[in-house]
Amino acid sequence: MEHSYDVLIIGAGVVGNAIARELSRYEMRVAVLEKELDVGMGTSSRNSGVLHSGIHYQPGTLRARLNVRGNALMGRLCRELKVKIQYIGKLTVAQDEEDIRTLHALKEQGEANGVPGLEILGAAAMQAIQPGIGGIRALHSPTTGIICPYGLTIALADHARTNGVDFHLGQEADAVRHSPDGFTVTTTGGDTFKARVLINAAGLYADRICALLGISEYRIYPCRGEYLILDKRLQGSLSVLVYPAPRKGGAGLGIHLTNTVDGNILIGPSNEYVDAPDDYACTSDIIAQLKKEGHELLPGISTADFIRSFSGLRAKQTPPEIKGFKDFVIESRTDFPGFINLVGIESPGLTSSPAIAEMVRGMVAERLPLVEKAAFIAERPGRAELFHELPAEEKADLVAQDPDYGEIVCRCEQITKREVLEAIQNPLGAQTIAGIKYRSRAMMGRCQGGFCLPRIVQILEKEFGYRPEDYLLFSKDSHLFSGRVR
Amino acid sequence: MQTIKRDLVVIGGGPAGLSAAIAARDNGCKDVLLIERDRILGGILNQCIHDGFGLHRFGEALSGPEYAQRYIDRFHSLGIEAMLGTIVLGLGANRSLQVSSRGGFMQIDAGAVVLAMGCRERTAGAISLPGTRPAGIYTAGAAQNLINLQNIMVGERAVILGSGDIGLIMARRLTLEGAKVEAVFEVLPYASGLPRNIQQCLNDYGIPLYLGTSVIEVHGKERLTGVTVAEIDPLRRPVPGTERLVPCDTLLLSVGLIPENELSRSASVIMEDRTSGAAVDDTFMTSIPGVFSCGNVLHVHDLVDWVSEEAALAGACAAAYVQGEARAAEPRIAISPGPGVRYVLPQTVSGRRDFTLSLRVTEPAREQAVWVRAGKRKVARKKLMRLHPAEMIRVNIKAEKLQDARELEVSVE
């Protein structure tokens, strides 16, 4: 099949979707190409979900500028998209004199980057914010927040879809040809996509997309971070994010506890280079280390509180022998006019995504006229809260209007049949079990689907005619079942 | 929002809930309401289509649905009220419940509550299974539900991790349905399931059981392709050189059950670490007056027969509570597990009634006795030919033996 667009974005992570949603404001034909069966299946669903303030990056870098700008844009964006966000603040904690010098340097750097409200606190003031915390001083950054990373990614894509962007899921770019009137992308499935502007937002695969055009100067080194998810029982043990002061030579920000907007706590991430951009394994050594550090940070944890481990990959441009950070690459290529190239968008890519979208919009404007769409739908319908987060009276009203709200499918997370149905009937048409999970939170609780997966199977069979071979966990060969019982 | 009142609300329509509700009615409580989140009564018994239920209670081997049906019939013949397809989402310390169903979201104020929510299975995440996260990894109970209730086959070549009873039953079930079960691996040096299930589900079908062995890595990006297993030393570390790859497309986990006590916790019921259930007295009352607990939500049982028996007592006691039986100023004798005992319950008794201790031992043994002592004084002793952590031990204690006792210790010697 052949498709023709003004703009084609490769990669439906948070960055690709933020760009798609930004461009959906204008009169142009935009499409997103994604090799997975759903959006946000890579780094965007596999991170801490922290909205960074912008203290960590050198003034003048793209990372610093886009981080601070993205942080400022995110509140309004999340309100429009109905995505949960909480500016809960962060304490970066010093244990010794050298750490204190680090805090002062971070504060100066943050202020140079335009981060508001930074303050160095003594032990008593730290304790007032987070009782029980160890350390002698802390840098408080009140604009640090938490956000649901896959929730944002899905919402951006949903909203872009609502405003006319096409999503081609399960389509992997295989060849790219450049000609005076634009680009032709062929996929492994044999489809052809023509576009005047091509945007590389392929994350961990950005170097491969470059290579398809013959651009050889970039290489991505996947760097794995493993996490443990803790039971919601521990919700409330942490009112603010707490990080150790960064030490020299670290490639990440150190293992820490992170609140999620849904009430779990994450321990992680670790930091280890791996060979493959899809090596999401969890390892027994790191799991043991995370448990140990978790116990030190939160002595009340019991083994029953570990719900799940997962890992994500940072798209690093620095090889293992160098470590450290390189600045984001966001460039409009002069050798391939109309090719907008994004490489090495690792942390704080989530925070920066709205600002990256603005910047890329500017680059698109150099090639195509930006005419605002009269019919642009500014707000995503619905609400940010789940049914179980609403007050009792509102729940009663909803159930009275729609009995599907009264039927709880996932007992751990208290997710209703209405919410599961909405996840199945998602605007993008993603039809995997993981897609239902990320959209509804069903199967994300302490029983990990033991109770609700069979019930979701019933719903899919009865209401959508699924057969055993139709159920995919996340990818085209991730079949859940082998057939009928004989 | 609608609010209704009931004398006694039983949460859960499995074997414990049914038995408790029936006993409450039999003991004079007229206004009993049972709440079940599924659309049918019977609980997990509905997916247990194998036989062996009811040997103690009825002297015959019934399937799970047959066993449940006896209680369901009796439940209906007594005209007890049931709300099906209804879930309790909140329980306040004042015994007010928030419930949700297709019929509406409402509040129920109860004179007494019996908690009978059962248990859930430990998952891959709970045991921090290393490796990838492909399709094909199921808890044994979820696989049982899919196969027995939904006619869906989960895979063709299976490995089972953990020798819990559901895993053993599923090893046989998968084999009968044409799948190849490579082996069952158990990290402990002894099986976690009942000896009769080891015989009837593994030995009779030639399925090997490897003790002291565990899965140390999961392989496969999309669908499971295999697991690496290794022998495990007493400190739970893999023994180098013993690793081997077992190709398979399915991994079933039977690695333990956890009482489903989130509601109990939300009501601030005092919990017992050893059982992961509520702490109860000899009437099965929890730390909250009028809130009782029984069945697998109280502690994980080996046989449903004991669940029914325990729940009947809890239901009768709840009925007595509703009918205003005086309970003030009862003495409290604390019971604690001693050497060789993993847990014992109830945790306290009044000493005014006869009661049954339920306990589990820490490791397998032969020809030992369970001792119950009040200080240095012997209260009871039960000699057993064979003791196994998988098998719950019950010891009947006469109230008259407890005079002046302050605390009891239960040990195996």
Side-chain angles (χ1 to χ4, degrees):
Chain A
M1 219 164 129
E2 204 175 289
H3 311 266
S4 186
Y5 292 101
D6 295 314
V7 180
L8 182 68
I9 301 162
I10 300 180
V14 69
V15 170
N17 291 342
I19 295 167
R21 186 257 179 194
E22 183 62 33
L23 297 181
S24 74
R25 298 170 181 278
Y26 304 100
E27 293 290 352
M28 56 174 76
R29 289 164 306 139
V30 180
V32 180
L33 202 60
E34 169 54 52
K35 70 179 173 57
E36 301 297 331
L37 297 179
D38 202 351
V39 302
M41 293 299 287
T43 306
S44 303
S45 56
R46 297 164 166 275
N47 62 72
S48 306
V50 171
L51 188 71
H52 291 285
S53 64
I55 57 174
H56 284 289
Y57 309 109
Q58 210 187 329
T61 59
L62 263 185
R63 281 162 79 110
R65 180 159 67 79
L66 295 171
N67 180 343
V68 176
R69 174 79 181 147
N71 180 298
L73 290 172
M74 198 63 91
R76 183 178 160 192
L77 179 66
C78 286
R79 277 195 304 280
E80 288 172 355
L81 295 179
K82 311 294 190 314
V83 170
K84 286 186 211 169
I85 183 169
Q86 294 166 18
Y87 287 93
I88 62 173
K90 171 170 118 171
L91 293 173
T92 305
V93 179
Q95 302 296 346
D96 55 29
E97 290 301 319
E98 195 191 329
D99 282 351
I100 292 176
R101 284 192 290 278
T102 306
L103 295 190
H104 282 281
L106 280 176
K107 180 168 182 274
E108 275 173 36
Q109 179 167 276
E111 280 163 352
N113 289 338
V115 179
L118 295 176
E119 228 184 324
I120 297 213
L121 306 179
M126 283 161 58
Q127 294 287 340
I129 292 177
Q130 176 70 41
I133 192 173
I136 50 176
R137 291 264 202 295
L139 174 60
H140 184 228
S141 52
T143 57
T144 303
I146 52 175
I147 193 166
C148 176
Y150 43 86
L152 174 66
T153 304
I154 290 168
L156 285 164
D158 266 8
H159 196 228
R161 177 77 203 103
T162 303
N163 284 303
V165 173
D166 285 349
F167 281 78
H168 299 275
L169 304 175
Q171 293 263 25
E172 182 174 357
D174 189 34
V176 183
R177 229 178 42 242
H178 179 240
S179 62
D181 52 345
F183 299 84
T184 306
V185 177
T186 321
T187 63
T188 46
D191 284 21
T192 304
F193 294 83
K194 287 186 189 300
R196 295 167 69 192
V197 171
L198 180 66
I199 300 174
N200 176 12
L204 291 157
Y205 299 84
D207 55 346
R208 299 185 185 199
I209 299 300
C210 287
L212 294 180
L213 268 170
I215 299 169
S216 58
E217 68 225 52
Y218 298 113
R219 181 156 171 214
I220 296 294
Y221 301 88
C223 181
R224 187 165 64 199
E226 295 183 38
Y227 292 87
L228 295 178
I229 306 177
L230 297 182
D231 195 288
K232 284 185 176 176
R233 184 181 77 81
L234 297 153
Q235 184 173 13
S237 354
L238 200 63
S239 56
V240 62
L241 299 176
V242 180
Y243 285 54
R247 298 279 163 97
K248 280 200 178 66
L253 297 177
I255 289 176
H256 52 265
L257 300 177
T258 309
N259 291 314
T260 70
V261 283
D262 292 302
N264 301 94
I265 290 176
L266 303 178
I267 306 176
S270 55
N271 191 51
E272 176 199 16
Y273 281 92
V274 294
D275 294 331
D278 60 349
D279 185 354
Y280 295 118
C282 295
T283 59
S284 45
D285 288 352
I286 303 269
I287 291 170
Q289 185 197 345
L290 295 179
K291 282 186 172 176
K292 185 171 158 284
E293 302 204 18
H295 276 292
E296 284 164 12
L297 293 163
L298 260 189
I301 303 178
S302 83
T303 49
D305 293 323
F306 298 106
I307 289 184
R308 187 181 175 88
S309 52
F310 72 94
S311 68
L313 301 173
R314 307 167 178 93
K316 284 203 167 289
Q317 294 185 77
T318 45
E321 56 276 16
I322 294 176
K323 296 195 177 114
F325 299 109
K326 253 192 190 175
D327 200 9
F328 292 165
V329 172
I330 301 175
E331 58 181 7
S332 191
R333 297 286 296 205
T334 48
D335 48 352
F336 297 99
F339 182 55
I340 300 172
N341 195 25
L342 290 84
V343 185
I345 315 294
E346 54 158 319
S347 182
L350 174 72
T351 310
S352 306
S353 57
I356 293 174
E358 274 186 348
M359 184 177 168
V360 170
R361 178 193 64 197
M363 293 174 164
V364 171
E366 291 165 12
R367 308 283 310 170
L368 302 171
L370 294 187
V371 180
E372 285 196 26
K373 238 182 232 173
F376 180 72
I377 297 161
E379 298 219 352
R380 187 170 173 244
R383 51 165 198 277
E385 297 82 17
L386 297 167
F387 174 82
H388 80 86
E389 295 166 326
L390 300 172
E393 288 297 336
E394 268 181 63
K395 286 182 186 168
D397 289 348
L398 278 175
V399 177
Q401 289 161 27
D402 181 350
D404 285 339
Y405 274 114
E407 187 176 335
I408 306 295
V409 174
C410 164
R411 68 179 173 196
C412 301
E413 295 293 302
Q414 301 190 357
I415 306 300
T416 66
K417 184 175 179 184
R418 167 55 47 208
E419 291 164 306
V420 171
L421 288 172
E422 281 169 5
I424 295 169
Q425 295 166 315
N426 65 82
L428 302 172
Q431 292 294 319
T432 64
I433 294 295
I436 297 169
K437 177 172 118 171
Y438 284 130
R439 284 172 178 79
S440 67
R441 275 195 74 75
M443 301 173 277
M444 282 207 178
R446 51 181 72 91
C447 91
Q448 287 285 294
F451 177 82
C452 57
L453 175 67
R455 278 155 182 80
I456 289 167
V457 164
Q458 263 172 3
I459 293 172
L460 284 163
E461 183 171 327
K462 274 193 188 147
E463 306 198 11
F464 300 91
Y466 270 50
R467 296 158 302 167
E469 56 271 31
D470 297 333
Y471 296 88
L472 299 174
L473 183 54
F474 58 93
S475 60
K476 67 179 174 23
D477 290 321
S478 65
H479 291 279
L480 278 174
F481 310 126
S482 61
R484 292 279 172 209
V485 176
R486 64 179 180 172
Chain B
M1 193 171 66
Q2 194 193 354
T3 301
I4 61 172
K5 283 189 195 309
R6 290 290 182 272
D7 285 348
L8 175 61
V9 174
V10 177
I11 306 175
L18 286 167
S19 179
I22 290 165
R25 171 59 64 91
D26 283 343
N27 282 273
C29 183
K30 299 249 175 339
D31 186 25
V32 180
L33 165 66
L34 182 146
I35 301 177
E36 164 57 41
R37 62 186 164 209
D38 213 334
R39 298 215 180 104
I40 53 171
L41 293 170
I44 295 297
L45 285 173
N46 289 317
Q47 67 186 52
C48 299
I49 62 173
H50 55 283
D51 79 340
F53 299 92
L55 286 166
H56 294 268
R57 200 92 175 127
F58 301 114
E60 55 185 310
L62 305 170
S63 71
E66 286 171 329
Y67 184 94
Q69 198 60 44
R70 296 202 175 187
Y71 283 87
I72 294 169
D73 290 345
R74 173 103 175 107
F75 180 88
H76 288 315
S77 76
L78 291 169
I80 303 171
E81 182 187 9
M83 289 172 67
L84 302 179
T86 304
I87 191 163
V88 179
L89 293 178
L91 170 61
N94 55 355
R95 300 186 304 271
S96 113
L97 294 83
Q98 285 193 339
V99 306
S100 187
S101 74
R102 298 188 66 83
F105 187 91
M106 64 159 91
Q107 181 177 324
I108 303 176
D109 295 329
V113 173
V114 177
L115 305 171
M117 293 89 75
C119 55
R120 66 169 187 274
E121 298 178 282
R122 293 179 78 201
T123 64
I127 59 166
S128 300
L129 196 64
T132 52
R133 302 276 176 276
I137 304 173
Y138 294 95
T139 58
Q144 188 177 46
N145 180 304
L146 290 161
I147 293 173
N148 292 351
L149 296 181
Q150 308 208 43
N151 191 30
I152 284 176
M153 197 58 186
V154 294
E156 290 165 358
R157 192 174 179 188
V159 159
I160 295 173
L161 175 60
S163 56
D165 286 307
I166 317 167
L168 302 177
I169 297 284
M170 288 309 293
R172 176 175 66 185
R173 186 82 190 103
L174 285 169
T175 307
L176 290 172
E177 291 304 335
K180 168 88 174 112
V181 178
E182 298 291 343
V184 176
F185 298 101
E186 169 58 58
V187 68
L188 296 171
Y190 52 85
S192 306
L194 293 169
R196 79 171 194 218
N197 283 331
I198 300 285
Q199 183 59 43
Q200 295 171 6
C201 300
L202 300 187
N203 299 351
D204 290 358
Y205 292 86
I207 299 168
L209 168 64
Y210 296 93
L211 299 174
T213 306
S214 193
V215 171
I216 61 162
E217 193 174 357
V218 169
H219 306 283
K221 286 223 161 88
E222 299 187 76
R223 176 81 193 195
L224 184 68
T225 56
V227 295
T228 299
V229 300
E231 289 173 23
I232 301 295
D233 71 15
L235 294 174
R236 294 264 173 127
R237 296 170 309 198
V239 178
T242 64
E243 304 89 356
R244 69 183 166 101
L245 178 72
V246 184
C248 57
D249 66 13
T250 305
L251 174 63
L252 292 198
L253 302 173
S254 181
V255 291
L257 300 170
I258 302 167
E260 183 83 49
N261 270 301
E262 278 60 44
L263 270 184
S264 327
R265 285 200 186 87
S266 74
S268 301
V269 166
I270 292 176
M271 305 297 291
E272 164 69 39
D273 281 350
R274 294 184 186 90
T275 53
S276 301
V280 291
D281 64 17
D282 50 334
T283 68
F284 296 92
M285 193 157 85
T286 68
S287 59
I288 297 185
V291 175
F292 298 77
S293 177
C294 59
N296 280 353
V297 77
L298 179 60
H299 60 130
V300 176
H301 292 62
D302 52 347
L303 300 177
V304 71
D305 308 58
W306 308 141
V307 167
S308 301
E309 200 174 306
E310 176 184 289
L313 273 168
C317 293
Y321 178 89
V322 169
Q323 292 164 77
E325 184 195 80
R327 297 181 53 100
E330 288 202 332
R332 294 180 78 80
I333 304 168
I335 306 181
S336 58
V341 176
R342 194 167 92 219
Y343 76 74
V344 58
L345 115 180
Q347 284 78 16
T348 57
V349 294
S350 64
R352 291 191 177 173
R353 10 184 136 64
D354 299 348
F355 66 97
T356 302
L357 280 178
S358 296
L359 65 110
R360 284 181 189 263
V361 298
T362 52
E363 54 194 44
R366 287 186 167 274
E367 307 226 354
Q368 300 242 309
V370 174
W371 285 81
V372 183
R373 290 191 181 89
K376 296 218 150 94
R377 182 166 65 83
K378 182 188 101 174
V379 170
R381 177 173 174 273
K382 183 173 186 174
K383 197 164 180 339
L384 293 158
M385 290 296 291
R386 197 187 58 194
L387 300 90
H388 197 282
E391 294 183 81
M392 206 166 83
I393 297 168
R394 294 149 52 87
V395 183
N396 297 318
I397 309 284
K398 293 274 181 211
E400 68 209 35
K401 298 268 196 181
L402 296 183
Q403 68 277 38
D404 303 329
R406 290 266 182 88
E407 51 191 12
L408 300 179
E409 189 191 69
V410 184
S411 59
V412 170
E413 287 162 36

